[in-house]
Amino acid sequence: MPDAPPGPSAISGTTRLYVVLGDPVAQVRAPALLNDLFARTARDAVLVPVHVGPDGLAEVMRGLRRMHNLDGILVTVPHKIEVCRYADLLGPAAEVAGSANALRRNPDGTWLADNFDGAGFVHGLRDNGHDPAGATVVLAGAGGAGRAVAAALLTAGIARLRLYDPDSVRREDVLARLDARWPGRVTVGAQGDFDGDGADIAVNATPLGMRPGDPLPFDLARLPHGCAVADIIMKPAETDLLRAARESGRPVVYGRHMLDSQVLLYEEFFALHAPERNGRWEP
């Protein structure tokens, strides 16, 4: 009698592999979310975290690209900008932002990179009652996620974006990318120049808040009292910034909303739809 096929949570020689790369990786929620999706769709696949620092990224990416049973790579801090070097093709969001948080192997063996941080963030904002259209937004962080969030907010129709980052080279690179598509709607400044005057939404897209004792990424006192405060950090679920904003009476948007919205986009990108799903989901 032949062996029964493996169950959805079993790992065998036929299991397809996915990884999430980061430094650190203890905070990532993708394994729980994607492995649950694999189980619900009876897909013989597993996603595991891979902890790799910047000095090892090139070597790890070369190895991953040569693995025949690896179908997808998710990317978190601090690799979202650098990982674009190892893609053969860039999707539209990655092209604009210059960063990626997902790569997939195409049928011809090439690797396509794209970025769903921005679309997931905007969808999470709307789900929490904050439509960014026409808003003035202040954003701390011009790294891989920050620049993707910035591009998605501009696509969603915000009126103005003030973006702050301590790295002058990164600031100018982001400004050039965004100003080419949305001229006159973006200004950049150093972290110490933060100005929240007139802001409708304030966003932390830096790693500040992941570790105990981190300083706040910006001064809440510089924001209007009704300004919504959002953080893209997943763990802790409530950062010091969000706790202080909530205690001050300001509306808050948690980091988990960005990732929860992205799961639907990952289904599309990696073709992981459950059998009953037919339509496309649009952010």
Side-chain angles (χ1 to χ4, degrees), residues 134-142 146-147 149-151 153-154 158-165 171 174-175 178 182 184-191 193-206 217-219 222-224 227:
T136 293
V137 178
V138 291
L139 189 153
R147 57 182 58 200
V149 167
L153 286 167
L154 289 160
I158 65 170
R160 290 182 297 166
L161 174 69
R162 299 199 292 269
L163 191 153
Y164 300 93
D165 193 277
R171 288 197 306 267
V174 172
L175 179 60
L178 299 180
W182 297 282
R185 290 166 62 186
V186 182
T187 59
V188 298
Q191 205 85 359
D193 299 328
F194 182 85
D195 178 11
D197 186 46
D200 302 297
I201 302 169
V203 185
N204 176 38
T206 79
F218 45 78
D219 184 358
R222 293 179 175 267
L223 299 173
C227 178

Side-chain angles (χ1 to χ4, degrees), residues 22-189:
D23 180 26
V25 290
Q27 81 285 358
V28 296
R29 295 179 62 232
L33 292 173
L34 270 293
N35 287 324
D36 178 67
L37 175 63
F38 296 151
R40 287 188 286 106
T41 57
R43 185 173 295 273
D44 186 11
V46 64
L47 184 144
V48 297
V50 174
H51 188 177
V52 56
D55 59 344
L57 182 64
E59 187 175 4
V60 167
M61 284 300 300
R62 283 195 295 269
L64 292 175
R65 283 176 54 106
R66 299 191 64 154
M67 293 172 58
H68 299 299
N69 59 344
L70 183 80
D71 290 338
I73 301 169
L74 300 183
V75 186
T76 188
V77 64
H79 303 312
K80 294 181 181 182
I81 297 174
E82 185 67 18
V83 80
C84 291
R85 294 175 177 267
Y86 308 103
D88 301 299
L89 304 162
L90 296 180
E95 187 74 51
V96 172
S99 69
N101 73 335
L103 295 88
R104 76 168 184 232
R105 186 195 300 275
N106 288 327
D108 63 359
T110 59
W111 283 86
L112 169 68
D114 214 339
N115 199 317
F116 303 106
D117 281 329
F121 179 80
V122 169
H123 192 263
L125 273 182
R126 289 175 174 152
D127 269 0
N128 282 272
H130 305 289
D131 188 343
T136 293
V137 178
V138 291
L139 189 153
R147 57 182 58 200
V149 167
L153 286 167
L154 289 160
T155 300
I158 65 170
R160 290 182 297 166
L161 174 69
R162 299 199 292 269
L163 191 153
Y164 300 93
D165 193 277
D167 188 322
S168 61
V169 174
R170 198 156 59 178
R171 288 197 306 267
E172 295 307 314
D173 177 60
V174 172
L175 179 60
R177 287 177 178 276
L178 299 180
D179 203 50
R181 183 164 296 202
W182 297 282
R185 290 166 62 186
V186 182
T187 59
V188 298

Side-chain angles (χ1 to χ4, degrees), residues 192 238 244 276:
E238 184 174 68
E276 65 271 17

